[in-house]
Amino acid sequence: MTSMVAGLVQSTPGKPVILYTGIDKENRQAQNLAWPKKLSEPFLCERVKSPQNPLVSPVDGILPDYFRDPVTGWKGPDAKWRVLVGNEYNGSGQLLLYTSKDFLRWNGSKDPLRSTNRTLMLECPDFYSVSINGKHGVNISSHDKFTKYVVKLSIFPLSHEKYILRNCSVKTDHFSPDTDFKDDASDLRYDYGKFYASKTFFDSCKKRRILWGCVNESDTESDDIKKGWSGLKLVPRSILLSKNHRQLTQWPIEEL
């Protein structure tokens, strides 16, 4: 792999791992894995790439330059890991579903978890569960029956983050949305300003789900080069399902 596009860190039995999209010498996007070289090192600065990389390559008609941004993996009731990857195929955006017993060998599902012709590349997707009672965040692998599921995608170049709420059959991986993306002002959004490429994670210590996103600035490209950086991370927010179960609610985390 010649470069890295995007990725995430998550826990698996025995060690944390990095699941990321890399670009190979043929300029194809593919999903790869790495893990800490020494678990005793406090900041895990040194990493080792899996000798089995790439784990998932663009095959079966997948466009090689539209196959990126894996979501945090979760386990189904069959104990298999599941991961989603964003994709564009024949003018439609897709969330491709892959399953694995060991987080190394992955099999693609026959049908995408989500497909829509209302947008192209499903960039920076996210997928997680929220509690119906609205009191605490939940781990997506818990399969609590009192949950709904969130599918989020980033709309480029508008810098918009849209989401839909869905019911889920965790045994069949069938997800039925309450509402679909409509590509108009009625779509649910995280934020109505500039907010992009967000990611959530579950804080198991405080039983909450935290949302963190990015914002680009209005400076010129030459100004960005002079100061040596561009873009900001916004204030992290806790995220819950509203009392009427129709949308998400957010609030800055208590530490701030």
Side-chain angles (χ1 to χ4, degrees), residues 130-169:
V130 287
S131 174
I132 290 176
N133 64 29
K135 294 180 180 179
H136 301 287
V138 291
N139 186 337
I140 189 172
S141 294
S142 66
H143 308 302
D144 190 324
K145 64 180 180 179
F146 299 107
T147 59
K148 282 200 171 190
Y149 290 78
V150 180
V151 174
K152 186 276 301 183
L153 58 88
S154 299
I155 306 296
F156 181 83
L158 299 176
S159 295
H160 292 168
E161 299 270 280
K162 298 184 177 183
Y163 69 90
I164 53 177
L165 295 167
R166 320 183 78 172
N167 293 314
C168 162
S169 170

Side-chain angles (χ1 to χ4, degrees), residues 76-198:
D78 56 2
K80 290 183 180 180
W81 288 98
R82 286 152 170 78
V83 157
L84 300 173
V85 180
N87 171 243
E88 179 187 331
Y89 183 75
N90 284 341
S92 294
Q94 294 189 131
L95 284 180
L96 303 179
L97 176 65
Y98 295 86
T99 62
S100 172
K101 293 181 179 180
D102 57 8
F103 219 85
L104 287 171
R105 291 170 284 269
W106 294 89
N107 297 306
S109 294
K110 179 181 178 181
D111 299 312
L113 181 136
R114 179 70 193 144
S115 180
T116 176
N117 60 7
R118 296 183 179 275
T119 185
L120 298 176
M121 172 67 191
L122 292 188
E123 194 168 51
C124 302
D126 202 1
F127 178 71
Y128 57 93
S129 52
V130 287
S131 174
I132 290 176
N133 64 29
K135 294 180 180 179
H136 301 287
V138 291
N139 186 337
I140 189 172
S141 294
S142 66
H143 308 302
D144 190 324
K145 64 180 180 179
F146 299 107
T147 59
K148 282 200 171 190
Y149 290 78
V150 180
V151 174
K152 186 276 301 183
L153 58 88
S154 299
I155 306 296
F156 181 83
L158 299 176
S159 295
H160 292 168
E161 299 270 280
K162 298 184 177 183
Y163 69 90
I164 53 177
L165 295 167
R166 320 183 78 172
N167 293 314
C168 162
S169 170
V170 294
K171 292 183 179 180
T172 62
D173 294 321
H174 177 72
F175 298 84
S176 55
D178 294 355
T179 58
D180 198 357
F181 296 109
K182 299 179 180 178
D183 197 24
D184 60 28
S186 67
D187 282 338
L188 295 170
R189 288 172 56 179
Y190 276 162
D191 196 297
Y192 289 83
K194 287 188 175 182
F195 188 77
Y196 200 70
S198 68

Side-chain angles (χ1 to χ4, degrees), residues 224-237:
D224 291 338
I225 293 173
K226 287 179 182 178
K227 60 187 180 180
W229 56 276
S230 175
L232 300 168
K233 280 288 187 182
L234 294 178
V235 171
R237 318 165 186 186

Side-chain angles (χ1 to χ4, degrees), residues 37-110:
K37 185 176 182 179
K38 295 181 180 179
L39 289 175
S40 58
E41 202 278 313
F43 296 108
L44 305 178
C45 293
E46 293 186 272
R47 292 165 291 276
V48 177
K49 296 178 182 178
S50 170
Q52 294 175 262
N53 286 343
L55 305 185
V56 185
S57 298
V59 296
D60 300 328
I62 296 174
L63 295 176
D65 50 349
Y66 292 100
F67 182 58
R68 60 182 179 268
D69 305 337
V71 308
T72 302
W74 75 97
K75 275 191 172 183
D78 56 2
K80 290 183 180 180
W81 288 98
R82 286 152 170 78
V83 157
L84 300 173
V85 180
N87 171 243
E88 179 187 331
Y89 183 75
N90 284 341
S92 294
Q94 294 189 131
L95 284 180
L96 303 179
L97 176 65
Y98 295 86
T99 62
S100 172
K101 293 181 179 180
D102 57 8
F103 219 85
L104 287 171
R105 291 170 284 269
W106 294 89
N107 297 306
S109 294
K110 179 181 178 181

